[in-house]
Amino acid sequence: MSAAADNIAMRRKPNWRVRLTPWLLMSPALLIAIAFFGLPIAFMGRMSFNEHIDQRFFVPGFTLDNYAAMLTDPTFSAALWTTMRLALISSIVTVIIGYVFAMLVWLKPKRWRLAFIALALCPLLISEISIIFGWWMFFPKNGLLSYALVSSGLITDKISLMYTEFAAFVGLTYVTLPFCFFILLSIFDGVDKKVLEASADLGAAPVRTFYEVLLPLTKGGIAASFAQSFIWAVGTYATPSALGPDTLWTIGYLIQEQMLGKHNWPRAAAFSMVLTLGVAVVMMIIRLLSSKRTVLNG
Amino acid sequence: MADTSIVPTRDIHVAPIARARMDAVVLRILTLTFTLFIIAYIAIPVVVTLVMSFNDAAVIRFPIKAWSLRWYADFFNSPQWVDALKSSVIIALGTTLISTVSGVLAAWAFERFTFAFKPLVYLLIMLPLFMPGVVLGLGVAMAFGDVSMFGVDIYGSRMLVILAHSLWAMPLVFMLMEATFRTVDHRIVEASYDLGGRPFQTFFEIVLPSVSTGIISSALFAFVISLNEFVMALFLTTRDTQTLPVLMWLSLRSAGTPRLAVASVILAAALFVSLSLIIVWYTRQLRKT
């Protein structure tokens, strides 16, 4: 279809103008992407080889110390481990909740669909800072959870789940859930519901239908949504650092700390480069796996 | 279900029917439980914030003893918070304009034309969407830290934040518009060409009006993204230009007053309006098709 348009355009215009048109159309987008993404990333790549001497932000030079430090620095390896563990567990939980949620929306009659989609959009639309603040009022000793449990008689003393890893997990899962849900919903929409009926007609119980029919058909979506929420959870630092214990140092927190706290630009840049490369790799995997359907019109 | 193999074929449905009924009841209960769980889970932070914003007390504490609009008045009487809100709205509007225009044009180029380095350009446009905010903020802050253009300090200016926010908003617009353009009937485009319409004329007079729904919803998404973002803004704003989420983040540790709840509610209200508009537009489009 685009080839047809090209042919028609080519009949009317000199060749160079036809070739220039797409670039002209793309120029604002390209300009932004190059000036504010390509350039800064290149700058950051160069910065990561600079040296950090005395209290200056950076000293031009060429050293691999900043990368080598990641292998030797116990703070970094601890942060890497923390980040991976947090991201892994919260992504698994997100995928499970998102999967069941998407399956429900898919199975429910169409009139429920919009209400559920609106519900799923909530966490996506509310600022991460508002989400943090919401949970921040839920978990502490004088928060809603403690109050609800005490007044319902389940416990006698006030409890606090604030500044625990559990709180960090809940916050992280909440932030990543909508991404996961929408990817999985688009996968479910691609499944023909008749296969469920066929499976039931052949005598399979719902659980067996799920394991042998639905799960294999949605495998790609599970992988893609897992990768997507993993990326998000690895990159974010505000939620774990605000809800989790003070010792919960993620890579994102470390980058911010090196940049704003210690003014060690080369080190911050090196950490960022590693994070960037990791994200790029996971993104390639997503692109291979994800489907291109639209969700809202399903 | 292993026993089905030893049951005669014509009786196959007799035993499972009772079991299927049991299964259906269990399944119903599970479904209901999960639905309630998910509604509660998503609603908790939203409802807690809303309730707390009408709390009269100065500390966050349950149960709530008295209700008032005291903290709303406090918010609007505080120049620092009102300025932050103003900054947020200006930056969000700027981001919406820039990312929508550039994203729509780029998506059209991708949908209609073949050109060299297409996958590479695609990657360049889409990659920022998947980058952690801390990396983007850091990169832009480092690269533009002490550059000044035309005598204006870029660093700390609203323009820099607008362009940084566009890094997330533009790919989103691009992605949504690429899908929307795919639904355009290419015959009307060709008809326009055949009648002598020039490419730009065809684009503005034929294509754009037929995808207005997509443009409006992607613009709203861009607005929402910019209004909510605070990690990049944290790296790029100064005291004069800081956005509402940045101010909220900075005061989260120091003072947990209900003022934060008010700020959250104001942000959420803006987003709620945007969301309702998106849904209204989509339902209208669904009815059309």
Side-chain angles (χ1 to χ4, degrees):
Chain A
M1 146 169 146
S2 70
D6 272 354
N7 285 339
I8 287 155
M10 245 181 268
R11 260 185 270 144
R12 296 178 189 284
K13 292 283 162 204
N15 204 17
W16 64 270
R17 284 187 70 171
V18 173
R19 269 204 244 150
L20 210 63
T21 313
W23 294 103
L24 218 61
L25 286 169
M26 282 186 311
S27 56
L30 268 181
L31 208 69
I32 293 174
I34 291 171
F36 295 92
F37 176 65
L39 221 71
I41 292 287
F43 191 87
M44 216 158 67
R46 172 67 190 93
M47 175 65 76
S48 66
F49 297 109
N50 279 337
E51 284 168 79
H52 177 70
I53 303 169
D54 311 328
Q55 292 306 306
R56 283 174 286 177
F57 287 161
F58 66 95
V59 177
F62 188 86
T63 170
L64 290 170
D65 276 0
N66 298 308
Y67 290 98
M70 284 179 225
L71 299 172
T72 53
D73 185 356
T75 322
F76 182 82
S77 45
L80 185 68
W81 166 237
T82 305
T83 311
M84 289 299 156
R85 193 187 45 184
L86 268 180
L88 206 67
I89 300 179
S90 77
S91 303
I92 291 172
V93 174
T94 308
V95 170
I96 292 173
I97 297 178
Y99 190 90
V100 181
F101 190 25
M103 189 166 66
L104 274 181
V105 175
W106 178 61
L107 288 172
K108 287 258 174 191
K110 255 209 156 136
R111 65 200 142 94
W112 292 102
R113 194 181 167 87
L114 215 57
F116 278 120
I117 285 179
L119 186 69
L121 271 172
C122 277
L124 192 71
L125 292 179
I126 295 167
S127 174
E128 194 186 346
I129 181 75
S130 299
I131 294 172
I132 293 171
F133 185 60
W135 290 113
W136 203 81
M137 289 183 287
F138 182 71
F139 284 123
K141 224 173 187 148
N142 290 321
L144 183 61
L145 178 68
S146 172
Y147 170 67
L149 287 177
V150 170
S151 54
S152 69
L154 285 171
I155 52 166
T156 47
D157 284 327
K158 286 181 173 181
I159 51 148
S160 168
L161 289 177
M162 195 58 196
Y163 304 125
T164 59
E165 279 198 21
F166 177 76
F169 280 127
V170 171
L172 261 181
T173 306
Y174 192 88
V175 174
T176 51
L177 186 63
F179 296 99
C180 212
F181 167 78
F182 283 112
I183 292 173
L184 284 164
L185 185 58
S186 76
I187 298 290
F188 272 115
D189 282 336
V191 177
D192 189 347
K193 275 184 198 158
K194 285 187 196 115
V195 296
L196 299 189
E197 287 164 31
S199 172
D201 283 347
L202 291 170
V207 176
R208 187 164 170 194
T209 302
F210 176 75
Y211 272 115
E212 291 186 9
V213 181
L214 212 48
L215 212 52
L217 282 173
T218 50
K219 245 181 357 206
I222 293 175
S225 62
F226 178 82
Q228 176 71 73
S229 53
F230 189 77
I231 279 188
W232 189 268
V234 161
T236 187
Y237 83 93
T239 307
S241 85
L243 295 173
D246 282 343
T247 47
L248 199 71
W249 283 21
T250 58
I251 296 186
Y253 179 80
L254 222 58
I255 290 174
Q256 186 253 170
E257 172 74 11
Q258 291 291 337
M259 173 80 177
L260 299 177
K262 299 199 168 139
H263 300 297
N264 187 345
W265 285 26
R267 187 66 52 90
F271 288 172
S272 299
M273 289 312 284
V274 171
L275 194 55
T276 306
L277 285 177
V279 169
V281 168
V282 182
M283 199 198 137
M284 304 273 200
I285 299 170
I286 292 182
R287 192 152 158 65
L288 290 176
L289 294 172
S290 66
S291 116
K292 278 190 171 175
R293 275 162 192 286
T294 57
V295 174
L296 284 156
N297 297 327
Chain B
M1 295 310 294
D3 57 338
T4 48
S5 57
I6 52 165
V7 178
T9 322
R10 61 194 164 82
D11 293 336
I12 224 169
H13 292 294
V14 179
I17 278 177
R19 188 187 293 172
R21 247 184 227 140
M22 271 283 287
D23 283 352
V25 171
V26 172
L27 211 62
R28 248 204 136 91
I29 293 169
L30 278 178
T31 310
L32 194 71
T33 315
F34 184 81
T35 311
L36 290 177
F37 163 76
I38 198 93
I39 291 173
Y41 180 51
I42 291 179
I44 281 173
V46 183
V47 173
V48 173
T49 309
L50 195 66
V51 166
M52 208 31 99
S53 73
F54 296 109
N55 179 21
D56 187 61
V59 286
I60 284 159
R61 194 187 185 102
F62 288 89
I64 290 159
K65 296 202 175 75
W67 304 88
S68 80
L69 289 172
R70 179 184 155 194
W71 293 102
Y72 281 87
D74 177 83
F75 181 93
F76 287 105
N77 285 330
S78 155
Q80 198 191 3
W81 287 80
V82 174
D83 279 354
L85 178 64
K86 223 189 284 172
S87 218
S88 267
V89 172
I90 292 170
I91 287 171
L93 287 174
T95 305
T96 307
L97 184 73
I98 288 185
S99 61
T100 307
V101 170
S102 54
V104 167
L105 292 178
W108 178 246
F110 263 77
E111 175 54 23
R112 281 291 139 166
F113 298 89
T114 45
F115 49 88
F117 309 115
K118 206 167 177 176
L120 203 69
V121 175
Y122 182 88
L123 200 67
L124 186 67
I125 291 179
M126 286 302 288
L127 202 57
L129 186 60
F130 298 91
M131 282 293 146
V134 69
V135 170
L136 292 179
L138 187 79
V140 175
M142 278 181 179
F144 294 90
D146 26 56
V147 182
S148 81
M149 226 179 244
F150 311 114
V152 184
D153 280 332
I154 290 185
Y155 188 76
S157 71
R158 285 183 179 139
M159 198 59 209
L160 187 64
V161 187
I162 288 174
L163 290 164
H165 282 181
S166 295
L167 284 176
W168 272 358
M170 187 187 58
L172 193 79
V173 173
F174 175 78
M175 202 165 71
L176 290 170
M177 287 314 294
E178 225 198 342
T180 311
F181 279 136
R182 230 173 274 145
T183 63
V184 173
D185 188 347
H186 68 279
R187 281 169 302 186
I188 57 165
V189 178
E190 277 175 35
S192 166
Y193 281 129
D194 283 343
L195 292 170
R198 288 173 311 179
F200 282 93
Q201 195 184 0
T202 307
F203 178 68
F204 283 109
E205 290 176 15
I206 307 290
V207 180
L208 276 194
S210 67
V211 291
S212 53
T213 310
I215 293 180
I216 288 163
S217 36
S218 45
L220 283 170
F221 274 118
F223 184 76
V224 164
I225 283 202
S226 174
L227 206 61
N228 279 336
E229 203 284 331
F230 78 100
V231 179
M232 279 189 262
L234 189 66
F235 280 95
L236 301 173
T237 49
T238 58
R239 232 186 120 75
D240 296 328
T241 51
Q242 69 189 182
T243 59
L244 195 54
V246 169
L247 186 57
M248 287 169 72
W249 171 247
L250 294 177
S251 51
L252 182 64
R253 287 298 176 92
S254 55
T257 61
R259 197 188 278 164
L260 269 174
V262 171
S264 291
V265 170
I266 289 169
L267 268 182
L271 307 174
F272 180 75
V273 172
S274 314
L275 172 66
S276 324
L277 289 178
I278 291 177
I279 287 182
V280 167
W281 262 298
Y282 264 107
T283 27
R284 198 184 282 171
Q285 197 198 31
L286 278 184
R287 239 178 253 136
K288 255 192 265 170
T289 48

